[in-house]
Amino acid sequence: MNIKDVAQRAGVSISTVSNVLNGRRNVSPEKTQAVMRAAEELNYIPNVNAQMMKRHGTGNIGLFLSHVEGPYYAALMPALFYFCAKAGYALLIYVNDFHTSRDVAQAVLSCNIDGAIMLNGLITEEDIRLVNQRGIPMVFMDRNIRMPGTGCVLIDNGSGTHEQVEYLYHTGHRRIAYFGVSNAMLFSAERKRGYQMSLLKHGITPREEDC
C-alpha cells in the first residue's frame, strides 16, 4: 500500500495526498477529508523515514538533562512529548552526568537530532557557538541565553521564593532559611534574590548562615 493507492481511492493527485499528510493548509476541507478517509480505509501508514529524508531532517528533537527525578520533570516531559509529536517530531531524552561544557557539546553533536532542548546549564557560550555552527538550534530552559541560533524559556524564580517567604512570614515565622544550589546557576541566584528581597521588605536582614 502506497501513496498512489491513497490518491486513487480519494480521487485526487499524489501531490494533494502528500500535502494533506504533511499538514499543509493549501488543500480544501473536502479533499482533505477524502484523503484522510481513504488513508483510514486502506490502513495506510506514511513512511516517516522517507518523509524526513525529503525534508533533509531527522525528525528528532533531543532533550538534554542531568537527571529526571522530582515532580518538575514528571510534569515537564509528557508536555514536551505532546508538543513535539504535535509538530511531527520524536523526543529523544539524553540523561547524563556531564562533567565539562565540551562533554555537553559533543553529546549534542553526536546525536541524530534536528534541535536540542537544554536543561543543562554547564555548556558555555563558546561551545554553544560550536553547536550552532553545525546547524543545530538550541532552546534553553531557565537560562537566559541570547545568541544566534538559540532561544530560551524563562521562569520567574524570584517571585516563587518571594511568595514562599511571604507565606511563612504571615504565619508567624521570622527566622527563615533558604536552601539552594550554586548561585552560578541563574535560577538559583534568582530564587535566593527573591528570598532576600522578601525578608528585607519586612525589615529582616538576611543572615549568611541562613542561606
Side-chain angles (χ1 to χ4, degrees), residues 1-2 28 30 35 48 56 99 115-116 126 129 133 137 143 153:
M1 198 63 58
N2 56 45
S28 69
E30 294 78 14
V35 169
V48 176
H56 305 289
H99 296 290
E126 177 184 358
R129 292 190 188 93
Q133 287 170 3
R143 184 178 174 189
V153 179

Side-chain angles (χ1 to χ4, degrees), residues 23-118:
R24 302 189 184 101
R25 299 181 180 180
N26 57 340
V27 183
S28 69
E30 294 78 14
K31 289 184 177 180
T32 298
Q33 290 178 3
V35 169
M36 297 306 292
R37 184 167 54 251
E40 183 178 357
E41 291 172 353
L42 296 172
N43 293 319
Y44 173 73
I45 300 175
N47 187 331
V48 176
N49 289 330
Q51 289 178 343
M52 291 307 168
M53 288 177 65
K54 289 180 181 178
R55 296 179 193 172
H56 305 289
T58 67
N60 299 325
I61 299 294
L63 171 62
F64 294 83
L65 62 173
S66 55
H67 63 87
V68 293
E69 295 85 5
Y72 173 73
Y73 296 101
L76 175 67
M77 287 191 289
L80 291 176
F81 269 115
Y82 172 79
F83 285 105
C84 283
K86 190 175 181 181
Y89 287 91
L91 180 68
L92 307 182
I93 300 177
Y94 299 90
V95 183
N96 203 323
D97 186 15
F98 302 106
H99 296 290
T100 68
S101 171
R102 189 53 53 92
D103 288 339
V104 180
Q106 288 176 344
V108 174
L109 292 173
S110 65
C111 296
N112 192 32
I113 58 175
D114 292 329
I117 301 172
M118 307 298 296

